[in-house]
Amino acid sequence: MATAGPSTSRRTLLEMCEEEVQELMRNFIQQRNSENSQIDVSQADIFDPIVETVSRETDTESNSDSDSDSSSNEDNDRLENLSWCRCGNCKLMPTVIESICCRENDDIDYHIPDGKSCICEHPFHIQETSQQFLDRVNSITYSYVPMRPNKQNILTQRGYRKLAYRGFSTWMYGDLGPKNRRPIPSCVVNSIRSCFPAPDNIYVGFHYPEDDGPAFSMILD
């Protein structure tokens, strides 16, 4: 009795003849087409990532606009009222960067004496706004200037203000180095200006180094 040939499903393509391979491929294609015809593609678009991406981009832009509007409103509030002042001694300033309270800065808040509400009540600040103290500081500093002229360096009101500003910054942050500046709280600025006012009541205010103009010495009020 003749032995039956090996089953098609157990042979590799190399062991099949050309007719058998073609028949196998036709059956495979028909089976796949039959499976695809049973798939419901009417809601295939729910898997489309484009809609979700657009939605996320829209949400991001909306949140960005909202944050920008919120920040802008907060900036305007600082220029229009003193709700940000927590020490009770601040005054309205012409720019947002100058509109800060001593109690908003952790480094400065740390130095506020117990039982006091403002850094202006610290004994050192009271001392650094003393003309006699600043004259002494100026005299010591001027003595280290190389090739200084013989005439005495007399401070103007503006000179006292600059020296007091620098003294406060050094007290709070140490030596910041050239072209490194930090805004001084409104309460401190106005305390110094009240001690050494400008005759015309016009002040340059705070500027970052990149905003310095050609008249460098005139910008540092």
Side-chain angles (χ1 to χ4, degrees):
M1 183 176 179
T3 304
S7 172
T8 300
S9 60
R10 297 181 180 178
R11 289 184 296 161
T12 65
L13 294 177
L14 295 177
E15 296 173 328
M16 298 180 185
C17 65
E18 183 177 353
E19 290 78 4
E20 289 176 322
V21 173
Q22 292 178 351
E23 181 65 22
L24 182 65
M25 292 302 298
R26 280 194 296 269
N27 292 337
F28 176 75
I29 293 172
Q30 290 176 357
Q31 182 179 0
R32 290 297 301 273
N33 290 339
S34 175
E35 291 175 353
N36 291 339
S37 65
Q38 298 175 8
I39 297 177
D40 181 11
V41 296
S42 61
Q43 297 183 352
D45 60 311
I46 65 174
F47 302 103
D48 192 345
I50 296 179
V51 175
E52 183 179 0
T53 301
V54 172
S55 176
R56 287 182 178 178
E57 290 178 352
T58 303
D59 291 343
T60 301
E61 291 176 358
S62 177
N63 291 336
S64 177
D65 292 342
S66 177
D67 292 343
S68 178
D69 292 341
S70 176
S71 177
S72 177
N73 291 335
E74 182 179 350
D75 290 348
N76 290 333
D77 288 342
R78 283 185 175 264
L79 298 178
E80 295 173 357
N81 61 70
L82 291 171
S83 59
W84 46 270
C85 176
R86 294 158 52 191
C87 71
N89 292 322
C90 296
K91 294 183 179 180
L92 292 179
M93 304 297 283
T95 63
V96 173
I97 196 170
E98 296 174 282
S99 303
I100 55 173
C101 177
C102 61
R103 301 196 74 97
E104 291 184 293
N105 184 305
D106 292 339
D107 292 329
I108 300 176
D109 186 57
Y110 173 80
H111 288 85
I112 297 177
D114 293 338
K116 303 296 183 180
S117 61
C118 182
I119 193 64
C120 294
E121 298 175 277
H122 195 288
F124 183 77
H125 175 71
I126 296 174
Q127 181 184 47
E128 72 178 358
T129 54
S130 162
Q131 183 172 333
Q132 183 179 3
F133 174 77
L134 293 176
D135 281 335
R136 189 162 66 251
V137 172
N138 178 61
S139 178
I140 295 173
T141 304
Y142 187 68
S143 67
Y144 288 96
V145 177
M147 301 185 66
R148 59 186 181 279
N150 293 328
K151 65 178 181 179
Q152 186 179 2
N153 182 30
I154 305 298
L155 288 173
T156 62
Q157 292 290 85
R158 177 172 172 271
Y160 284 120
R161 290 197 302 274
K162 290 176 61 177
L163 196 55
Y165 294 149
R166 292 172 182 173
F168 180 84
S169 293
T170 303
W171 173 31
M172 289 295 121
Y173 311 113
D175 184 14
L176 295 176
K179 290 187 177 273
N180 287 321
R181 307 172 196 164
R182 296 190 183 184
I184 298 175
S186 168
C187 50
V188 176
V189 170
N190 285 285
S191 173
I192 293 173
R193 288 177 179 175
S194 66
C195 293
F196 310 105
D200 54 6
N201 201 35
I202 296 177
Y203 303 93
V204 175
F206 179 82
H207 285 77
Y208 279 114
E210 55 267 27
D211 297 326
D212 288 342
F216 177 78
S217 62
M218 295 181 64
I219 278 186
L220 298 179
D221 179 22

